[in-house]
Amino acid sequence: MQADKIIGILGAIPQEVNGIITHLKNRSEHKIGNRTYYQGYINDQKVVVVYSRIGKVAAAATVATLLLEFKVDSIAFIGVAGGIHADVKVGDVVVAKNLVQYDMDASPLRPKFEIPLLGKTYFDTDESWSKETCDHIEEMFGLENLYQLITPSELAKFNITTPKVHYGTIASGDQFFSTSEQKNNLKAQLPDALCVEMEGAAVAQVCYEFGVPFIVIRTISDNANEEASFSFQSFVEEISLVYGQEIINKMF
């Protein structure tokens, strides 16, 4: 990215961005709409970092504020997600190629999942930025690098051995997946979806409408089933915070 541009970085909850905020240089705080926006620098890159709160509405409001109040030039969303595809495991990272709102259904007026008036179902991320990010994560996942960030015993707690980075479709909606029934229903409707979360496609729609490049990066915290709530809490605190900070560091 170009250092003279401003990049907005957000996650849904504090744990997803706290590690990034802590390392900002020349940090200043601004409170708008019940959120605190942290301006500063990562190396020479000017950024604004914020946690959006959970859900599509919260994420969309936060992105609109970043665009209109802070005049950011691009958006990076980072956080956790539940794995849906059989190839996606806990500890892997999914970088979005595109995103879809799985709970959008205006049928029979429009096809299921299509956003009314926009006529779009899938929102594409910035391809070159996303693929560059995949390369950074591959480098991070080299075992020597990974073991410097997280101890083998911490990785073993979540059965993480050789994590992978995936590039593909992310599905978003206002549900936390905690049953196999939810997961299987979504897989039947959107078989290409790699993971499920609650904000990314809303971020994507706002960025699309404003013509702003964006990326979405999701660490897999659980398998979107009955064990999800336990895995989510501990994983966010022990693994994804470290992943997120290192991914952003490598990005800049």
Side-chain angles (χ1 to χ4, degrees):
M1 302 302 293
Q2 297 178 349
D4 59 337
K5 303 290 187 181
I6 306 173
I7 299 176
I9 302 172
L10 67 159
I13 57 178
Q15 295 94 323
E16 292 173 337
V17 293
N18 278 348
I20 301 166
I21 292 168
T22 300
H23 288 83
L24 289 180
K25 297 184 296 184
N26 301 329
R27 188 177 75 191
S28 60
E29 300 180 14
H30 307 269
K31 296 185 182 297
I32 302 175
N34 212 27
R35 290 159 178 75
T36 301
Y37 296 78
Y38 298 87
Q39 286 184 296
Y41 289 84
I42 301 173
N43 295 321
D44 295 324
Q45 178 63 61
K46 188 174 183 179
V47 299
V48 184
V49 187
V50 58
Y51 78 90
S52 65
R53 303 178 183 272
I54 296 169
K56 293 194 301 178
V57 173
T62 307
V63 171
T65 303
L66 285 168
L67 295 172
L68 297 173
E69 294 290 335
F70 295 95
K71 311 299 182 185
V72 302
D73 298 285
S74 55
I75 292 286
F77 194 105
I78 192 161
V80 294
I84 294 294
H85 197 279
D87 293 339
V88 176
K89 310 297 183 185
V90 171
D92 289 0
V93 174
V94 175
V95 176
K97 177 182 180 181
N98 53 39
L99 299 102
V100 56
Q101 295 181 38
Y102 69 77
D103 56 356
M104 174 58 71
D105 187 356
S107 59
L109 300 177
R110 303 301 305 164
K112 191 173 185 179
F113 310 126
E114 183 183 294
I115 307 299
L117 305 182
L118 287 184
K120 285 186 68 66
T121 299
Y122 293 90
F123 294 90
D124 295 330
T125 62
D126 184 278
E127 183 176 4
S128 61
W129 191 11
S130 293
K131 289 187 174 179
E132 181 181 314
T133 300
C134 287
D135 292 339
H136 291 319
I137 298 169
E138 290 277 13
E139 181 184 343
M140 182 183 80
F141 280 163
L143 286 183
E144 286 189 11
N145 294 330
L146 187 62
Y147 287 164
Q148 289 178 5
L149 298 172
I150 304 170
T151 66
S153 61
E154 288 176 312
L155 293 169
K157 180 178 177 181
F158 299 95
N159 296 317
I160 301 171
T161 54
T162 53
K164 299 177 181 178
V165 59
H166 307 266
Y167 179 61
T169 299
I170 293 178
S172 308
D174 285 318
Q175 295 181 50
F176 181 81
F177 274 42
S178 59
T179 69
S180 297
E181 182 181 5
Q182 288 173 293
K183 178 177 179 175
N184 292 333
N185 285 342
L186 183 60
K187 287 172 66 176
Q189 297 179 76
L190 294 168
D192 292 336
L194 298 180
C195 64
V196 61
E197 39 91 305
M198 299 177 67
E199 296 86 21
V203 171
Q205 182 178 335
V206 175
C207 289
Y208 170 80
E209 295 198 41
F210 279 83
V212 172
F214 70 97
I215 59 172
V216 176
I217 307 160
R218 291 291 191 173
T219 301
I220 303 303
S221 60
D222 57 81
N223 293 311
N225 57 17
E226 286 74 10
E227 298 176 357
S229 58
F230 165 76
S231 300
F232 177 85
Q233 295 293 344
S234 54
F235 187 93
V236 165
E237 295 169 3
E238 298 175 41
I239 305 293
S240 69
L241 186 149
V242 180
Y243 271 26
Q245 182 180 324
E246 185 64 13
I247 290 168
I248 293 298
N249 285 341
K250 286 189 176 297
M251 191 181 296
F252 303 129

